[in-house]
Amino acid sequence: MTQAFAASSDETMQQPTVRVVRQTRSSLIAFAVSIALLVAVASMPLWASQGLIRDVVELCCYVTVAQMWNLLAGYGGLVSVGQQAFVGVAAYAMFVMAQLWGLNPFLAVPLSVIVPAVVAAITYGLLHRLDGPYFAIGTWVVAEVLRLATSVFGYVNAGAGMSLRVMSSYSPMERAVGISLLSALMLLVAVGGSYLLLRSRYGLALVAIRDNPVAAASQGVNVGLLKFLIWVAAAVGTGLAGAIYFMAQLRITPPAAYSPTWANVSIFIVMVGGLGSLEGVLIGALVYFVADRWFAQYGATYLVVLGLLTLVMALFARGGLWGLIQKVTNASWFPTRRILLEDKP
Amino acid sequence: MELKNSLWTPSRRTVLKGLGAGLAASTLGAPMIARAQSAGTIKIGVVTPATGPLALFGETDGWALEKVREQLKGGLETAAGHYDVEFLVRDSQSDPNKSAEVAGDLILNENVHLLLPASTTDTVSPASDQAELNECPCISTGAPWQAVIFPRGGKDAPFKWTYHFFWGLDEALNTYVGLWNTLESNRKVGMLFPQNADGETWGNMDYGLPAPTKKAGFEIVVPGFFQPRTNDFSAQITAFKEANCDIIGGIAYPADLKTFVNQCAQQGYKPKAITVAAALLFASGVEAMGSLGDGMSSEVWWTPAFPFKSTLTGQVSRDLADQWETEKKKQWTQPLGYSHALLEVAIDVLKRSANPLDRAANLEAIVATDIQTLIGPVNFAKGPHANVATTPIFGGQWVKGEKWPYDLKIVDNTVNKLFEPERKIVPLPWSA
């Protein structure tokens, strides 16, 4: 892999009339806006109401889980419908550390991601032999097995679940500060981390794997290792979102923690927003969140509408909303492509 | 009263007349008179499983709420003055995550003055946790109180903001034992529990069904817990058959009980009584078993045979059930009484509150609750736990009905002697 990249960059060096552009004006603006948003999320306790903080935290969790799914499906070519496994184990790890071991819950959240990382590493040993739909089903099986195992595990109160009562020992302000900072950190890791990763040479290798794993391997990309790393990284990101989400929920039970809704929501957000783009996830998450807030009170019919929307998108607009936007204006917010420009003397 | 109210168009003259006639004392008339001077709008958040697998519970919640909304159209006369009442209803989709989300939204964004998570642990517990942390008074019902208090960590540390009224698991269990005591049998009980929150609670050896059953001198057989939605009960049936159990007790959902009963029939196992919770709550669950549903027994939350009057409408249980059956063209269901009673308690709390727009004042009023509702008395001071008021429970048996395929008859009053049972329990027809 290294040689392949080194060779290509040498070629670029030898021909100075051509240059690679990776930053556009729109991306610079988007970068500034992202930093501002991140600061806004982190400083929420200073300006936002408790209710708004709660909503933003929830939205951040959706963005993160969907972004991780996008990383897997849109770049790694790994379609998982069992991401809830990592949501669940991380959330349970956080509950155990905070409620049973008496650890500071805000510290327990970042620590809890160790568990999904380990679970991901172990399960990949079983899953990496499966391909395409078989892999998807395999991930679901993993999630179900973990749900069943948790529901008979007496230490975490088995099927009856746990409540995070320790949270009431913190003042509302402390809780707001803690969860806002954690959410900002999560966004930074999930969106910022994905952006950096995709712009790196690993990102290029990932795109190559998605398009054709055999061809990528023939170019010197270590397909197996890279898939493993992206699987573990996505598990960590998903787990972080799970721990933060359930810290806001205060209560966990196995069916809630390992709810397949996480996979459904991720698929919706990514398919409607735009598969294989960072911008699409942000748009998709916003669409889901707004639909959920506005229409949830009129019954669950809106879920049917969202499902149909996903179907229509998958059939007629595979690039999602972001793809449609891109057709009108080619102003990328987070460009991960390399644009080759020829300098005319 | 209702009719009068709907025909009454409030003009200044009629208002004055009404005042003269002393209608001010009536909860229905009074709001109309003072509409113009409303001291504010009381916001009540209701979280109910309107859709999803537990939608049968939400159905009665929604209907009961519609009736009360109509009544409170003109506002509510309270100790602190006249207020408008707004109900904000949110669907928990039978999902604990959704329940916590909508409850948090109601408390923090809508600033409700009182939260009412209506029924089932999946809706009640997450919503109550949100209320507790975010300091909003909360009254819930529709789930055995231990299942709502203990898993939330409230066994030794009582909650400040959340109150629950319902019968307790211990009472349900004693009802079961009472039922079985009146039945002639070899006093061997096979137990059926699912692998979930309910199964863990009901099947607990210290405080679940096995404890009082053993204490009452029954021999018990507890095979492994079954996975919900399994299609194979042979392990359990073999164990029950080998031990020759005359009675089956436990908890199961309708689909699981149907599978279980069918497989019992196929494998030639014919106990004298099957008494399970959850699955036999609704007539639909009994009808799903076809003719095998006849004679199934269960605990009774509420039936139209309850003699108490509603504090809101003055209806007795029979009236409410009839109204439901006429309007919905469906048989009454047991949660209906509780759906109505929850609103009775909520309105009673607001009426007594020193300031219904103040959460702390509403909490004080909740603590002081002492009211006789459609489903019986509710009094948090007399409860077995600081946050709990217990309500009556009876033993019942489903028998072939007249108007509907099956009717629930009260056959045991061991736990609450409030009124006499309607008849005596009979063994399942297949064992005869």
Side-chain angles (χ1 to χ4, degrees):
Chain A
M1 183 172 69
T2 323
Q3 288 91 346
F5 280 111
S8 66
S9 57
D10 282 346
E11 272 166 33
T12 324
M13 294 299 283
Q14 283 156 13
Q15 293 174 347
T17 48
V18 176
R19 80 198 146 86
V20 177
V21 176
R22 309 194 59 196
Q23 207 65 270
T24 62
R25 194 188 302 151
S26 62
S27 81
L28 288 173
I29 296 171
F31 189 68
V33 171
S34 315
I35 298 291
L37 278 177
L38 210 57
V39 171
V41 170
S43 64
M44 271 193 301
L46 300 177
W47 57 270
S49 70
Q50 290 275 354
L52 184 64
I53 293 179
R54 200 189 147 78
D55 287 349
V56 172
V57 168
E58 214 175 285
L59 179 62
C60 291
C61 291
Y62 289 139
V63 167
T64 306
V65 173
Q67 184 56 57
M68 292 301 117
W69 193 82
N70 185 30
L71 210 55
L72 284 178
Y75 294 98
L78 297 164
V79 178
S80 160
V81 290
Q83 289 304 93
Q84 63 269 28
F86 307 119
V87 170
V89 290
Y92 260 105
M94 191 273 286
F95 268 64
V96 167
M97 284 191 246
Q99 186 68 31
L100 299 180
W101 299 352
L103 211 67
N104 182 322
F106 302 106
L107 189 66
V109 168
L111 284 180
S112 66
V113 302
I114 298 167
V115 183
V118 172
V119 170
I122 296 169
T123 53
Y124 195 72
L126 302 166
L127 291 171
H128 81 279
R129 292 165 194 281
L130 304 173
D131 201 25
Y134 300 99
F135 179 85
I137 294 167
T139 56
W140 194 2
V141 171
V142 168
E144 279 297 291
V145 167
L146 284 167
R147 179 180 69 80
L148 293 175
T150 312
S151 65
V152 294
F153 188 34
Y155 188 63
V156 296
N157 211 2
M162 298 163 81
S163 286
L164 199 62
R165 281 198 83 182
V166 324
M167 288 304 277
S168 53
S169 59
Y170 297 90
S171 73
M173 191 62 189
E174 286 171 331
R175 296 198 304 256
V177 170
I179 206 149
S180 302
L181 289 177
L182 283 172
S183 299
L185 175 79
M186 173 171 74
L187 276 188
L188 187 67
V189 171
V191 182
S194 303
Y195 185 41
L196 282 183
L197 176 77
L198 293 173
R199 285 174 66 94
S200 74
R201 49 205 204 90
Y202 295 105
L204 206 58
L206 274 176
V207 175
I209 293 174
R210 178 194 58 187
D211 292 342
N212 191 328
V214 179
S218 76
Q219 294 294 310
V221 176
N222 189 342
V223 176
L225 180 70
L226 219 57
K227 276 192 171 182
F228 171 74
L229 289 178
I230 199 89
W231 172 250
V232 174
V236 167
T238 308
L240 185 60
I244 292 177
Y245 179 81
F246 279 95
M247 170 178 261
Q249 296 297 87
L250 303 170
R251 175 154 187 80
I252 196 165
T253 53
Y258 301 98
S259 165
T261 312
W262 285 110
N264 301 344
V265 169
S266 306
I267 292 170
F268 168 81
I269 290 176
V270 176
M271 292 303 288
V272 169
L275 187 69
S277 69
L278 295 170
E279 298 89 342
V281 169
L282 299 180
I283 295 169
L286 217 56
V287 169
Y288 174 77
F289 189 76
V290 169
D292 191 58
R293 274 300 125 95
W294 283 2
F295 306 123
Q297 53 182 305
Y298 306 113
T301 326
Y302 78 102
L303 290 174
V304 178
V305 177
L306 293 189
L308 288 175
L309 186 61
T310 317
L311 201 65
V312 169
M313 282 294 188
L315 289 175
F316 303 110
R318 302 201 97 172
L321 288 173
W322 180 245
L324 295 179
I325 294 171
Q326 287 270 280
K327 274 185 191 163
V328 181
T329 158
N330 193 17
S332 182
W333 302 343
F334 303 112
T336 53
R337 291 182 191 155
R338 289 158 173 80
I339 305 161
L340 211 59
L341 287 184
E342 202 177 340
D343 285 333
K344 292 269 158 65
Chain B
M1 195 69 237
E2 267 184 315
L3 190 66
K4 206 177 189 179
N5 190 40
S6 59
L7 291 173
W8 206 39
T9 35
S11 69
R12 194 181 59 89
R13 187 170 292 248
T14 47
V15 165
L16 289 174
K17 251 194 218 161
L19 266 174
L23 263 169
S26 134
T27 48
L28 290 177
M32 288 299 196
I33 298 154
R35 178 176 259 175
Q37 318 142 8
S38 170
T41 303
I42 308 170
K43 286 178 159 188
I44 307 179
V46 182
V47 185
T48 161
T51 55
L54 303 171
L56 273 175
F57 290 88
E59 193 182 18
T60 53
D61 292 337
W63 185 81
L65 187 70
E66 259 341 287
K67 301 292 131 196
V68 173
R69 243 189 203 153
E70 275 168 34
Q71 279 211 337
L72 296 177
K73 237 188 270 170
L76 177 73
E77 198 60 45
T78 77
H82 184 80
Y83 292 89
D84 288 320
V85 180
E86 187 189 352
F87 287 100
L88 301 157
V89 188
R90 297 289 182 270
D91 179 8
S92 72
Q93 298 174 6
S94 306
D95 175 351
N97 289 343
K98 198 77 212 165
S99 179
E101 280 175 21
V102 294
D105 183 54
L106 284 170
I107 298 166
L108 297 171
N109 287 329
E110 302 287 356
N111 295 310
V112 294
H113 303 105
L114 184 64
L115 187 71
L116 307 175
S119 42
T120 73
T121 33
D122 273 351
T123 295
V124 168
S125 296
S128 299
D129 276 344
Q130 290 292 329
E132 184 67 29
L133 187 73
N134 297 309
E135 309 194 328
C136 177
C138 168
I139 313 171
S140 53
T141 187
W145 68 263
Q146 289 94 339
V148 172
I149 302 293
F150 293 168
R152 289 172 52 216
K155 192 172 186 180
D156 306 309
F159 301 104
K160 186 180 171 200
W161 294 92
T162 52
Y163 286 79
H164 186 78
F165 70 92
F166 207 68
W167 40 262
L169 187 64
D170 46 343
E171 292 169 304
L173 307 179
N174 288 331
T175 302
Y176 280 29
V177 177
L179 254 174
W180 298 332
N181 267 329
T182 57
L183 185 78
E184 209 170 287
S185 74
N186 63 5
R187 300 184 76 80
K188 281 186 184 167
V189 183
M191 303 227 165
L192 195 64
F193 301 114
Q195 192 75 267
N196 63 13
D198 292 321
E200 295 292 331
T201 318
W202 281 73
N204 190 292
M205 283 293 175
D206 300 321
Y207 58 81
L209 186 57
T213 314
K214 266 197 285 194
K215 215 174 139 199
F218 289 91
E219 197 180 307
I220 62 164
V221 177
V222 189
F225 290 14
F226 68 87
Q227 230 356 280
R229 304 221 159 242
T230 178
N231 46 30
D232 182 16
F233 281 96
S234 22
Q236 284 85 2
I237 293 173
T238 311
F240 298 151
K241 233 172 152 178
E242 269 173 17
N244 189 26
C245 297
D246 260 358
I247 300 168
I248 297 300
I251 179 166
Y253 289 107
D256 292 328
L257 186 68
K258 186 185 169 189
T259 314
F260 174 75
V261 171
N262 279 331
Q263 293 188 358
C264 283
Q266 284 161 10
Q267 298 178 26
Y269 173 57
K270 289 168 179 168
K272 283 187 178 160
I274 297 184
T275 312
V276 297
L280 299 171
L281 189 56
F282 297 100
S284 56
V286 185
E287 285 160 27
M289 288 183 270
S291 60
L292 293 179
D294 187 19
M296 295 281 154
S297 45
S298 173
E299 84 281 0
V300 174
W301 299 23
W302 173 84
T303 78
F306 273 47
F308 316 112
K309 255 189 185 167
S310 161
T311 54
L312 283 177
T313 60
Q315 288 170 303
V316 290
S317 296
R318 187 72 255 176
D319 299 339
L320 189 74
D322 286 346
Q323 196 186 1
W324 163 274
E325 290 186 350
T326 325
E327 286 182 22
K328 302 285 275 190
K329 310 253 180 299
K330 277 189 214 175
Q331 191 172 5
W332 60 272
T333 66
Q334 296 195 56
L336 178 60
Y338 277 87
S339 298
H340 184 84
L342 178 64
L343 298 164
E344 278 190 70
V345 175
I347 298 302
D348 171 67
V349 162
L350 294 174
K351 276 190 191 164
R352 286 183 290 103
S353 173
N355 177 7
L357 301 182
D358 178 49
R359 287 178 175 176
N362 289 344
L363 177 65
E364 263 175 52
I366 293 178
V367 178
T369 298
D370 183 10
I371 176 183
Q372 172 88 27
T373 69
L374 199 72
I375 50 96
V378 174
N379 184 335
F380 291 109
K382 287 187 188 159
H385 180 278
N387 304 104
V388 172
T390 49
T391 53
I393 179 170
F394 298 89
Q397 185 172 31
W398 288 95
V399 296
K400 288 251 187 278
E402 289 150 23
K403 191 172 167 194
W404 307 99
Y406 288 104
D407 260 340
L408 180 63
K409 295 292 176 195
I410 293 176
V411 294
D412 179 80
N413 68 346
T414 319
V415 177
N416 301 83
K417 305 280 185 209
L418 287 170
F419 53 87
E420 285 304 307
E422 293 170 279
R423 55 161 81 186
K424 232 180 136 283
I425 189 170
V426 289
L428 286 174
W430 66 17
S431 63

